Amino acid sequence: MMYDKNGNVIYTKRDALKIIIDNSKLFRDNLENKELLFLCKNKKKIIYYRVNFHAWNYLHFTGVFTPLKPVVFYNRALNNTLMESEFNFKDRFTTFKKYEILPAALNIHKNARMIGDYGNQGIKIKADMGVGNVNYVMTLDKADDVSCYPKGIVRDDVRVVTNNTSPIFAILTKNIRDELFEKLTYKSKSINTENIHLPKELTRIISNEALLQIKPNIDLSKKAEG
């Protein structure tokens, strides 16, 4: 491993190729064709965001450009057939920093802790939202008030680069084609969810089993009535 004068890791294209290939499997297992639901508490108000992940999103997390179409790039990484000659670094400084947090970002369904409006501090990146933790931020653009799609990742503290930041108290996931969110992948230990009132539009898209995991004292009969 090589380092610059400031102690930062310098990656060769061979290093990058291995990172891209290894993490494509992580993306496939955790996020491909998945929809994540982030439940947040903003003061006394409960808000939520839905984020879809598709095969073509993976390229944007790698910090490289390529003549290949995003899905072809991703599939070649998955199949171990991607070659060094088929990509180049966009910007070595930002790309190398992505590689330090890429595995964590691809586990966003377990480790995201806060979400907010992206403030563009530091590196200038155009994005509507940022979600993550103290180590990384996944940038998002909004399709509507609650639906978002991923743009990329940066190594930063989500508390620093977002405004109107809200703590996440639960994360759920489902296959994109499924109707209900059935799998709870994270629940905060510091926020008392028993005192939280979930809006009806949320209870309609979360399975009864997952609702009981989030809020054990919830009255499911009211969901049936509503």
Side-chain angles (χ1 to χ4, degrees), residues 104 111-114 131-137 156-159:
N111 61 32
R113 295 296 179 264
M114 306 193 85
V131 58
N133 55 38
V134 299
N135 297 311
Y136 78 88
V137 181
D156 219 323
D157 185 335
V158 69
R159 300 169 301 178

Side-chain angles (χ1 to χ4, degrees), residues 11-213:
Y11 296 90
T12 64
K13 287 188 71 176
R14 179 176 292 184
D15 296 329
L17 179 62
K18 185 178 188 307
I19 290 169
I20 290 168
I21 288 174
D22 289 348
N23 282 279
S24 68
K25 279 73 171 175
L26 194 58
F27 180 85
R28 175 198 61 197
D29 296 342
N30 291 345
L31 299 176
E32 184 186 358
N33 294 326
K34 295 287 197 304
E35 183 174 9
L36 269 56
L37 179 66
F38 297 101
L39 307 186
C40 320
K41 188 175 182 182
N42 190 311
K43 298 179 180 179
K44 294 184 178 180
K45 184 179 179 182
I46 302 304
I47 58 176
Y48 65 96
Y49 297 97
R50 305 174 66 151
V51 184
N52 287 333
F53 293 85
H54 299 275
W56 58 80
N57 295 130
Y58 181 66
L59 173 60
H60 300 297
F61 298 146
T62 64
V64 302
F65 63 86
T66 174
L68 303 175
K69 292 184 177 180
V71 174
V72 174
F73 175 90
Y74 172 61
N75 285 332
R76 289 195 184 180
L78 276 179
N79 297 328
N80 299 328
T81 57
L82 185 67
M83 298 185 294
E84 293 176 36
S85 60
E86 293 177 315
F87 67 88
N88 284 296
F89 298 125
K90 285 184 178 179
D91 177 278
R92 289 177 180 271
F93 178 77
T94 56
T95 297
F96 293 171
K97 289 188 177 297
K98 289 179 192 292
Y99 294 157
E100 296 172 11
I101 47 87
L102 182 55
L106 298 183
N107 277 287
I108 192 171
H109 62 303
K110 296 179 180 178
N111 61 32
R113 295 296 179 264
M114 306 193 85
I115 189 169
D117 301 324
Y118 197 76
N120 288 327
Q121 292 92 339
I123 300 169
K124 292 184 178 181
I125 298 172
K126 291 183 179 180
D128 294 328
M129 308 286 295
V131 58
N133 55 38
V134 299
N135 297 311
Y136 78 88
V137 181
M138 183 175 290
T139 55
L140 311 170
D141 267 353
K142 297 178 75 171
D144 55 42
D145 288 344
V146 299
S147 300
C148 304
Y149 55 91
K151 290 194 69 178
I153 55 170
V154 294
R155 195 190 75 175
D156 219 323
D157 185 335
V158 69
R159 300 169 301 178
V160 174
V161 299
T162 59
N163 303 311
N164 194 28
T165 310
S166 304
I168 296 168
F169 65 84
I171 305 174
L172 298 98
T173 184
K174 70 177 183 67
N175 291 324
I176 283 178
R177 293 184 179 180
D178 292 344
E179 181 179 355
L180 298 177
F181 290 91
E182 296 188 349
K183 187 175 182 181
L184 179 70
T185 54
Y186 166 73
K187 179 181 175 182
S188 172
K189 295 180 180 179
S190 60
I191 298 176
N192 184 1
T193 56
E194 292 189 4
N195 297 327
I196 285 175
H197 174 71
L198 297 175
K200 284 186 178 179
E201 63 265 26
L202 268 180
T203 63
R204 293 191 184 105
I205 61 174
I206 301 175
S207 71
N208 289 347
E209 293 78 6
L211 284 170
L212 287 169
Q213 287 181 280

